[in-house]
Amino acid sequence: MFETWVLVCAIGSSLCHTLVDEYGPYKTKQQCVERAYEIAVDVPDMLPGYIATKYKCIEPSEDLKGKIKT
């Protein structure tokens, strides 16, 4: 199972935020990647002035304590 995380950044700025998809987790990494691209397409409408710059598919069982979520 994979969760989709997308990094969005303000255009012309170093201000960035991490979005976590609420529809997952997904059974395959391919489904996770497809969802990341769907989110990237929707970002300009949902967050004007922002653009999706990176994505990451992680397994929810990974221990994220003390790690930077990017």
Side-chain angles (χ1 to χ4, degrees):
M1 301 292 272
F2 296 91
E3 287 183 348
T4 306
W5 293 55
V6 179
L7 183 68
V8 296
C9 296
I11 297 171
S13 173
S14 60
L15 178 64
C16 297
H17 301 282
T18 304
L19 303 179
V20 180
D21 178 41
E22 294 182 353
Y23 294 127
Y26 300 95
K27 291 183 181 180
T28 67
K29 190 167 187 175
Q30 181 61 36
Q31 290 172 319
C32 177
V33 170
E34 290 172 6
R35 179 63 179 141
Y37 278 88
E38 290 173 5
I39 292 169
V41 168
D42 291 339
V43 165
D45 292 331
M46 296 174 15
L47 297 167
Y50 283 80
I51 188 168
T53 59
K54 296 181 181 183
Y55 71 88
K56 188 170 186 177
C57 293
I58 62 168
E59 295 184 53
S61 61
E62 289 183 21
D63 181 16
L64 298 177
K65 186 175 182 179
K67 295 183 180 178
I68 298 173
K69 300 176 184 178
T70 60

